[in-house]
């Protein structure tokens, strides 16, 4: 069973209904350690505001660990997420395996995504760093309305003689107790589209056909009345 260790630095981050919640899933790392190699890698991910820090389990005897562990962050004013990978089997001065940084603005623009993050050395250091980190990100309990005009909507609008209409697509993501992310998508009609669907379809050709079909019938009635008048006149 996987062990998940959570560390909150300075103070515990308070959750509220208005706070954004970001699920970070650390999936794996590849080709760690450079020329020195590694034997017991683990990953630390942290955010500065509010201060939050999480640590994966240690994977032994590999330079390409697979963690597949998820952590939930409360997002307020932080500008980035910091990932750092260490080797538990080495002394503190030699255990650094690389770091990666992901900007919060990039995550907000695309609320659900996977990234392969190239690992880099610490600032002003010449660490022997190789490899990459794979992670997934998704904002939870957040509906994102997107208005789009589909080809079908354009076709319907053209056929019915009213302006182009769109549909509102709302997505909502949540995480189960087992860590599975479930995304629900709801498609809603706009108010204008609903009104247009209720209005009767105007077809000039149909009206024209009805008028032309009514003319012969009117002529038949007039002829019948003339014949009746002639019969009455002859009898007199």
């Amino acid at each position: 069973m996987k062990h998940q260790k959570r560390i909150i630095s300075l103070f515990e981050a308070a959750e509220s209904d208005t706070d954004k919640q970001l699920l970070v899933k650390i999936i794996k790392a590849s080709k760690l350690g450079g020329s020195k190699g590694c034997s017991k890698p683990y990953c630390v991910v942290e955010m500065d505001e509010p201060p939050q820090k999480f640590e994966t389990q240690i994977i032994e005897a590999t330079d390409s660990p697979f963690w597949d562990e998820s952590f939930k962050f409360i997002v307020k004013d932080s500008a980035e997420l910091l990932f750092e990978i260490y080797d538990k089997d080495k002394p503190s001065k030699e255990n650094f395996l690389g770091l990666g940084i992901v900007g919060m603005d990039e995550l907000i623009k695309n609320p659900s995504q996977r990234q392969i993050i190239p690992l880099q050395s610490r600032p002003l250091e010449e660490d022997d760093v190789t490899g990459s980190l794979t992670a997934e990100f998704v904002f939870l309990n957040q509906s994102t309305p997107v208005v789009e005009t589909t080809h079908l909507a354009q076709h319907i609008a053209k056929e019915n003689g009213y302006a182009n209409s769109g549909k509102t697509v709302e997505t909502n993501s949540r995480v189960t107790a087992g860590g599975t992310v479930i995304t629900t998508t709801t498609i809603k009609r706009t108010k204008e589209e609903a009104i247009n669907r209720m209005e009767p379809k105007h077809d000039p050709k149909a009206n024209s056909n009805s008028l032309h079909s009514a003319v012969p019938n009117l002529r038949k009635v007039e002829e019948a009345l003339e014949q009746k008048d002639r019969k009455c006149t002859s009898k007199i």
Side-chain angles (χ1 to χ4, degrees):
M1 184 176 181
K2 292 182 179 180
H3 170 70
Q4 176 176 310
K5 182 179 180 182
R6 178 182 179 182
I7 306 169
I8 302 295
S9 60
L10 299 183
F11 57 86
E12 188 77 19
E15 296 185 16
S16 70
D17 293 338
T18 58
D19 291 335
K20 292 181 180 179
Q21 299 180 25
L22 175 65
L23 183 74
V24 178
K25 187 174 186 180
I26 300 176
I27 300 175
K28 64 179 181 178
S30 301
K31 300 179 180 179
L32 300 174
S35 59
K36 62 186 176 184
C38 69
S39 57
K40 294 183 179 180
Y42 66 97
C43 182
V44 177
V45 55
E46 60 182 304
M47 180 184 292
D48 57 358
E49 186 58 41
Q52 299 160 84
K53 189 174 183 179
F54 299 89
E55 182 179 311
T56 68
Q57 65 176 338
I58 298 168
I59 306 296
E60 297 191 10
T62 180
D63 65 352
S64 298
F66 181 79
W67 292 292
D68 200 31
E69 296 184 48
S70 299
F71 308 98
K72 187 173 71 173
F73 286 86
I74 306 303
V75 179
K76 289 186 179 180
D77 299 322
S78 184
E80 61 189 25
L81 279 170
L82 173 64
F83 297 86
E84 294 179 310
I85 301 179
Y86 297 93
D87 190 342
K88 193 71 173 179
D89 201 35
K90 288 185 170 58
S92 58
K93 292 184 179 181
E94 302 175 9
N95 67 346
F96 180 77
L97 297 175
L99 66 82
I101 298 174
V102 176
M104 198 59 61
D105 289 343
E106 182 181 356
L107 298 180
I108 292 174
K109 289 179 182 178
N110 185 2
S112 179
Q113 59 179 281
R114 171 184 284 212
Q115 290 193 22
I116 299 176
I117 307 163
L119 297 175
Q120 55 186 295
S121 174
R122 291 169 291 190
L124 305 179
E125 298 287 341
E126 296 181 358
D127 302 303
D128 183 11
V129 174
T130 58
S132 62
L133 174 69
T134 302
E136 290 181 349
F137 309 89
V138 59
F139 278 96
L140 307 178
N141 302 324
Q142 177 179 329
S143 293
T144 309
V146 178
V147 178
E148 60 177 357
T149 302
T150 63
H151 292 295
L152 178 60
Q154 291 176 351
H155 177 73
I156 294 174
K158 184 177 179 181
E159 288 295 316
N160 288 273
Y162 53 82
N164 286 347
S165 151
K167 288 181 172 60
T168 299
V169 182
E170 294 184 359
T171 61
N172 185 279
S173 299
R174 63 185 181 87
V175 180
T176 65
T180 302
V181 179
I182 299 176
T183 301
T184 303
T185 302
T186 305
I187 301 177
K188 296 182 179 180
R189 295 190 181 95
T190 61
K191 183 178 180 181
E192 179 182 355
E193 182 185 5
I195 293 174
N196 287 331
R197 287 177 64 87
M198 295 176 63
E199 292 180 352
K201 181 178 177 181
H202 176 68
D203 190 347
K205 293 182 179 180
N207 292 338
S208 177
N209 292 335
S210 299
L211 179 61
H212 288 303
S213 62
V215 171
N217 292 334
L218 181 59
R219 289 176 180 173
K220 289 181 181 180
V221 173
E222 289 177 349
E223 290 174 358
L225 290 174
E226 288 178 359
Q227 290 178 2
K228 186 176 181 181
D229 289 340
R230 289 178 189 147
K231 289 181 181 179
C232 291
T233 303
S234 62
K235 287 182 180 181
I236 295 173

